């Protein structure tokens, strides 16, 4: 199993502007890298870390307990951010972190079916208990047109039509390696010689669709903005263009009002009446040092917003 190195760790924690007495949420506990760094900076403050994977929760609890007891792990999907916190009597927070990378401890476990590098059942569910939709169901039961749309929309896969057609002609498709072979047959030879794995985009598309990741992110981000105290911040680490688009749209939505467009046309500078401000105008990317150490950081971008 590949060693997990938290992406943009120093930058994302620094941008949260952590108060030792504050309340913070890590919406994506994963292997606990970001949560650990937040917890180290708290004295009487509290950290709430969210994950829906039982193994991640078990590993995270052991790692965080070694630092301090000022934390609670909440089992669930960050789609239910406000509900999970309200159960604990928390209705306002000083900071929230989202690391949207696929760093689940189970991601490299063949039985979970996420990876094109290992042979396993076509599953791909982040929450195997409550989510009934598997990648196998999508691949084997959805129409050719629906598959083409999924691969194009969520993976930007230019060979989506031939991949969808060949999947439908090869059913049943039961394992990750069977799907990889179909994808390879659907591409010209010159494409297979490129450094990137030919199945990368199709697998990404299936994972996003199975876990409804785009709608979940939209809903959760809006909840996060509602929870912020004045001067509270949200740090979001994205990894692909779909996530970037959502973050940009929602951040723009809350930082630029119709009145702001009018104010911008005036010959004098007038302060915006929006509730939020962008802490950085352009997203932060990994340094050359990090890029050399961690291949996962190549597509990572950090976005930060603050409540005024």
């Amino acid at each position: 199993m590949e060693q997990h190195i938290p992406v943009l760790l120093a930058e994302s924690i620094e941008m949260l502007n952590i108060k030792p007495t504050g309340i913070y949420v890590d919406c994506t506990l994963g292997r606990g890298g970001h949560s650990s760094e937040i917890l180290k900076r708290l004295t009487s403050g509290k950290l709430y870390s969210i994950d829906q994977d039982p193994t991640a929760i078990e590993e995270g609890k052991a790692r965080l307990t070694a630092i301090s007891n000022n934390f609670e792990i909440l089992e669930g999907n960050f789609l239910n951010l406000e509900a999970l916190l309200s159960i604990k009597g928390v209705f306002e927070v000083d900071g929230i972190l989202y690391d949207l990378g696929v760093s689940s401890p189970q991601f490299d476990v063949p039985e979970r079916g996420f990876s094109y590098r290992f042979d396993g059942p076509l599953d791909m569910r982040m929450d195997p208990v409550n989510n009934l939709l598997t990648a196998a169901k999508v691949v084997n039961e959805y129409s050719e047109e629906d598959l083409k749309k999924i691969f194009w929309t969520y993976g930007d896969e230019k060979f989506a039509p031939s991949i969808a057609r060949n999947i439908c002609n090869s059913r049943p498709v039961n394992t990750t390696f069977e799907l990889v072979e179909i994808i390879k047959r659907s591409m010209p030879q010159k494409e297979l010689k490129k450094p990137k794995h030919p199945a990368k985009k199709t697998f990404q598309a299936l994972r996003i669709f199975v876990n409804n990741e785009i709608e979940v992110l939209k809903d959760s981000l809006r909840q996060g903005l509602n929870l912020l105290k004045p001067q509270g911040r949200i740090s979001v680490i994205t990894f692909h263009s779909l996530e970037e688009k959502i973050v940009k749209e929602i951040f723009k939505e809350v930082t630029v009002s119709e009145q702001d467009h009018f104010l911008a046309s005036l010959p004098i500078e007038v302060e915006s009446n929006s509730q939020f401000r962008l802490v950085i105008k352009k997203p932060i990317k990994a340094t050359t040092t990090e890029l050399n150490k961690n291949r996962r950081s190549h597509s990572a971008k950090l976005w930060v917003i603050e409540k005024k």
Side-chain angles (χ1 to χ4, degrees):
M1 191 178 293
E2 183 180 345
Q3 182 191 5
H4 175 70
I5 306 168
V7 168
L8 292 167
L9 179 60
E11 295 89 343
S12 58
I13 302 300
E14 179 190 348
M15 283 292 163
L16 278 178
N17 200 21
I18 293 171
K19 303 172 188 172
T21 57
I23 297 173
Y24 294 87
V25 183
D26 182 353
C27 284
T28 46
L29 170 63
R31 289 176 180 165
H34 291 98
S35 278
S36 295
E37 292 304 315
I38 296 171
L39 191 57
K40 287 174 186 175
R41 289 159 173 76
L42 301 180
T43 52
S44 59
K46 189 77 177 273
L47 167 67
Y48 294 91
S49 296
I50 298 171
D51 210 292
Q52 57 191 347
D53 195 294
T55 306
I57 290 170
E58 187 181 333
E59 290 183 8
K61 186 176 182 181
R63 183 169 182 177
L64 297 179
T65 302
I67 298 168
S68 90
N69 293 319
N70 295 355
F71 75 92
E72 278 193 62
I73 296 177
L74 310 179
E75 184 171 0
N77 190 312
F78 62 60
L79 169 64
N80 304 311
L81 177 59
E82 286 181 312
L84 289 167
L85 290 172
S86 68
I87 291 169
K88 300 296 178 181
V90 177
F91 302 97
E92 286 186 314
V93 301
D94 294 284
I96 302 171
L97 174 71
Y98 291 85
D99 172 7
L100 302 176
V102 284
S103 58
S104 161
Q106 278 64 55
F107 199 76
D108 290 333
V109 175
E111 289 74 24
R112 298 296 295 273
F114 284 107
S115 180
Y116 43 75
R117 295 185 294 117
F118 307 111
D119 197 19
L122 279 169
D123 193 318
M124 299 195 189
R125 291 173 296 168
M126 294 288 188
D127 181 358
V129 177
N130 298 302
N131 186 2
L132 301 180
L133 181 65
T134 64
K137 185 175 179 66
V138 176
V139 165
N140 288 299
E141 297 180 18
Y142 280 48
S143 70
E144 181 179 330
E145 194 59 35
D146 284 341
L147 288 178
K148 185 168 68 174
K149 186 177 178 182
I150 289 167
F151 300 153
W152 175 249
T153 304
Y154 300 114
D156 195 24
E157 175 54 76
K158 63 182 178 181
F159 299 105
S162 57
I163 293 170
R165 184 172 59 252
N166 287 334
I167 284 172
C168 292
N169 292 335
S170 305
R171 288 169 171 167
V173 184
N174 297 312
T175 70
T176 53
F177 276 7
E178 284 177 27
L179 180 56
V180 168
E181 286 308 308
I182 293 168
I183 294 166
K184 286 179 177 177
R185 292 204 312 268
S186 308
M187 295 180 172
Q189 282 301 311
K190 64 177 182 179
E191 201 68 27
L192 302 180
K193 293 175 183 175
K194 292 183 178 179
K196 284 189 177 179
H197 196 287
K200 182 180 175 72
K201 290 182 175 181
T202 303
F203 271 65
Q204 172 188 295
L206 281 170
R207 190 202 79 232
I208 290 171
F209 183 78
V210 164
N211 295 289
N212 197 25
E213 291 178 26
I214 301 306
E215 292 306 315
V216 166
L217 177 58
K218 285 180 186 175
D219 288 354
S220 186
L221 263 184
R222 291 199 169 97
Q223 291 175 50
L225 291 166
N226 289 336
L227 286 162
L228 282 185
K229 295 179 183 178
Q231 284 75 58
R233 291 183 175 185
I234 295 179
S235 288
V236 186
I237 304 171
T238 62
F239 288 84
H240 56 74
S241 58
L242 282 173
E243 294 168 348
E244 290 174 25
K245 185 181 177 188
I246 289 165
V247 174
K248 282 193 282 190
E249 282 178 357
I250 292 177
F251 282 10
K252 183 178 180 182
E253 195 180 288
V254 297
T255 56
V256 182
S257 65
E258 283 185 28
Q259 186 177 340
D260 289 333
H261 290 297
F262 167 71
L263 294 175
S265 68
L266 296 177
I268 56 171
E269 190 171 324
V270 184
E271 189 176 341
S272 167
N273 67 344
S274 60
Q275 265 193 299
F276 297 87
R277 73 173 187 93
L278 295 176
V279 177
I280 46 175
K281 299 297 182 187
K282 291 184 177 180
I284 295 172
K285 298 180 183 180
T287 61
T288 305
T289 304
E290 180 170 1
L291 289 171
N292 291 335
K293 287 181 180 177
N294 186 5
R295 70 176 183 85
R296 292 177 190 256
S297 67
H298 281 259
S299 56
K301 293 179 183 177
L302 172 65
W303 315 73
V304 191
I305 196 168
E306 178 182 274
K307 187 171 185 180
K308 293 180 180 175

